[in-house]
Amino acid sequence: MKSRSLWIPLVLALSLVPAAAFSEESAAPEALALGSAIPMADAKLKNIDGSDIAVKDLAGKKGTLVVFTCNACPWAKKWESRIAAIGNTAQKRGIGVVAINANDPGVNPEDSYDEMVKRAKKLGLKFPYAMDGTSAVAVAYGATRTPEAFLFDASGKLVYHGTIDDNANDPRSVKQAYLRQAVDAVAAGKAVPTAETKSLGCGIKFRKA
């Protein structure tokens, strides 16, 4: 009887919680499946140089790397130098690269366009860093975290999706450099050793319609 008496207040409490409180996870974008083509490849995104770009125009002969990231997230900050290094190297090896910020700057001013320009310069990015002005591109990819990587092969099919590596806090202690290994494989025309990992990071602050 004691256990039953404990459950009754809990059930009553849950019944008073608005239904919307349980809807966030169910409303999350569906993750892009391995083997999928690049979604919204022709969508226009504002790059840090002021131009409008599309992922299809950035595709490399050997593949395409899309990383959803931002300026404000502590996880993104921990990995940003590694993302810059991997992206800069990938471009030299025939893989097109773009970093995309889908966050609403109204939630955190640090994710504004002007701050993106500053961050790209600080990191020495040799590839575009673009703003997803409606968050629609992130939704199409099923991206929910910053950072979250999507790597497509030469035929435009998704071959890697997930995190950067297995240690955000200490690059010297990384044992599995998932994204770097995937880029190396795609650049060499080989199969990716680990095709999917769990994305770790801050939730994307989607813009409201």
Side-chain angles (χ1 to χ4, degrees), residues 3-152:
S3 61
R4 183 179 179 184
S5 64
L6 290 173
W7 273 103
I8 291 174
L10 177 60
V11 172
L12 289 175
L14 289 173
S15 68
L16 296 176
V17 178
F22 299 96
S23 62
E24 183 177 353
E25 191 68 28
S26 60
E30 184 176 349
L32 192 67
L34 292 173
S36 297
I38 300 174
M40 295 188 69
D42 57 353
K44 296 299 183 183
L45 304 166
K46 187 178 180 181
N47 188 25
I48 51 170
D49 63 1
S51 65
D52 289 330
I53 61 173
V55 176
K56 70 174 184 180
D57 299 325
L58 303 172
K61 291 183 178 180
K62 294 186 177 180
T64 307
L65 173 60
V66 179
V67 180
F68 289 90
T69 188
C70 67
N71 305 323
C73 171
W75 289 83
K77 290 178 180 179
K78 290 176 180 180
W79 267 309
E80 63 184 7
S81 293
R82 278 169 271 179
I83 292 172
I86 292 170
N88 288 346
T89 299
Q91 280 218 141
K92 296 177 181 178
R93 302 179 69 184
I95 296 174
V97 183
V98 60
I100 299 176
N101 182 0
N103 275 4
D104 182 352
V107 176
N108 192 325
E110 193 175 351
D111 280 324
S112 70
Y113 179 79
D114 288 342
E115 290 300 317
M116 288 172 60
V117 175
K118 294 178 184 177
R119 187 60 57 86
K121 183 177 181 179
K122 173 186 174 183
L123 293 172
L125 300 186
K126 304 300 182 184
F127 52 87
Y129 183 20
M131 176 172 280
D132 181 3
T134 63
S135 299
V137 175
V139 172
Y141 277 74
T144 59
R145 300 288 173 185
T146 53
E148 186 167 351
F150 295 81
L151 178 62
F152 301 84

